[in-house]
Amino acid sequence: MVTTDRILAFAAMSLLVIVIPGPSVLFVIGRALAHGRRTALATVLGNVLGSYLLVVAVALGLGSLVERSVTVFLAVKLAGAAYLVFLGVQAFRHRKDMKMGTGDAPGPAARGDLRTIADGLLVGVTNPKGIVFFAAVLPQFVDPSAGGLPTQMMILGLVPICIGLITDTVWGLTASAARGWFARSDRRLSMIGGAGGFAMIGLGVTVAVTGRAD
C-alpha cells in the first residue's frame, strides 16, 4: 500500500528532523545523567511509544486539530513543559541519594520501570516538535489514490519511530557512560545528578516559552 520510494523519502525527511536534538533527546540525556542506563533505556521506550501515539492521533484526524488549534496546542505544550520541570525538580532534590543507585539497579531517586516508561510516554506525546512534524509532514507522504490513508500513515509513522529508537538509545547509552565516570566519586555523581535535573528544568522552560506564537 505504501510504495518504497515514499518510505525512503519520508525516512530521509525524518532523519533530517531527528538528528537535530529536540525535547525528547534532551529528556533522555537528562534522565541518563540523573539515573543511569536502565532509566535512560526505559525512557527511550516510553518516548517512542508516546511518539507513535501522535502518529495514531494524526491518522485518526486528531493531530490536525491539535496542530491547527492554538489553544489546544498551547495546552498540550504547557502540560509537557510542566511535567518536565516537575521531573527535573525531583531529580535535583534527590541528587545526593544517587550514590546508592549507581549502575543498572534503580536507586532511591529512580522510578520503577513502568513509571519511567510512563514518564517517557507523556513527554513523547506532548512533544511540540513531534506534534508539528507528524501533523504537518506525515500526511504529505501518503498516496490518496491508493486508499487506506490511516493505515498508510501508521505504516509510514513506524519509520521515524525506528530511527528515533536507535538514535535516542545511542544518546542515552552515551550519556549514561559519561555518568559512570562521575559515579567514581559521590560528590561528582551528586553534581551530575543535579546537572541532569537542571537540564530537564531548563528544557521544560524552553518548551514552554518557544514554538508557535500565532
Side-chain angles (χ1 to χ4, degrees):
M1 183 178 294
V2 182
T3 61
T4 302
D5 61 330
R6 288 180 181 269
I7 292 177
L8 292 177
F10 188 56
M13 175 67 74
S14 300
L15 185 60
L16 289 175
V17 174
I18 292 172
V19 294
I20 302 173
S24 295
V25 170
L26 298 179
F27 178 60
V28 169
I29 292 175
R31 297 287 271 176
L33 293 176
H35 300 297
R37 181 173 63 184
R38 180 169 178 156
T39 296
L41 295 179
T43 300
V44 170
L45 177 59
N47 190 36
V48 296
L49 291 175
S51 296
Y52 195 70
L53 285 180
L54 290 179
V55 174
V56 174
V58 170
L60 297 178
L62 299 177
S64 59
L65 171 64
V66 175
E67 197 275 335
R68 287 197 299 260
S69 172
V70 175
T71 301
V72 176
F73 184 88
L74 182 62
V76 171
K77 183 178 76 166
L78 291 180
Y83 198 61
L84 283 169
V85 171
F86 168 75
L87 292 176
V89 170
Q90 290 295 100
F92 182 78
R93 285 181 57 199
H94 294 285
R95 66 192 185 281
K96 293 183 179 179
D97 298 330
M98 292 177 61
K99 61 183 179 181
M100 301 175 62
T102 56
D104 290 337
R111 294 149 112 72
D113 290 340
L114 291 179
R115 184 63 181 276
T116 300
I117 292 173
D119 289 343
L121 188 149
L122 182 57
V123 171
V125 82
T126 58
N127 181 1
K129 179 181 175 181
I131 294 172
V132 173
F133 177 73
F134 289 122
V137 179
L138 176 58
Q140 299 180 30
F141 288 85
V142 300
D143 182 4
S145 64
L149 297 186
T151 302
Q152 287 191 59
M153 290 186 188
M154 290 184 190
I155 293 174
L156 283 169
L158 291 172
V159 174
I161 295 303
C162 291
I163 295 174
L165 177 61
I166 295 171
T167 57
D168 286 3
T169 298
V170 172
W171 279 112
L173 292 177
T174 301
S176 60
R179 179 183 184 271
W181 180 82
F182 283 94
R184 299 172 189 170
S185 164
D186 290 344
R187 183 172 179 272
R188 286 184 299 190
L189 186 58
S190 177
M191 289 175 60
I192 200 64
F198 272 124
M200 283 185 278
I201 294 172
L203 175 59
V205 173
T206 301
V207 167
V209 301
T210 59
R212 287 169 40 168
D214 53 335

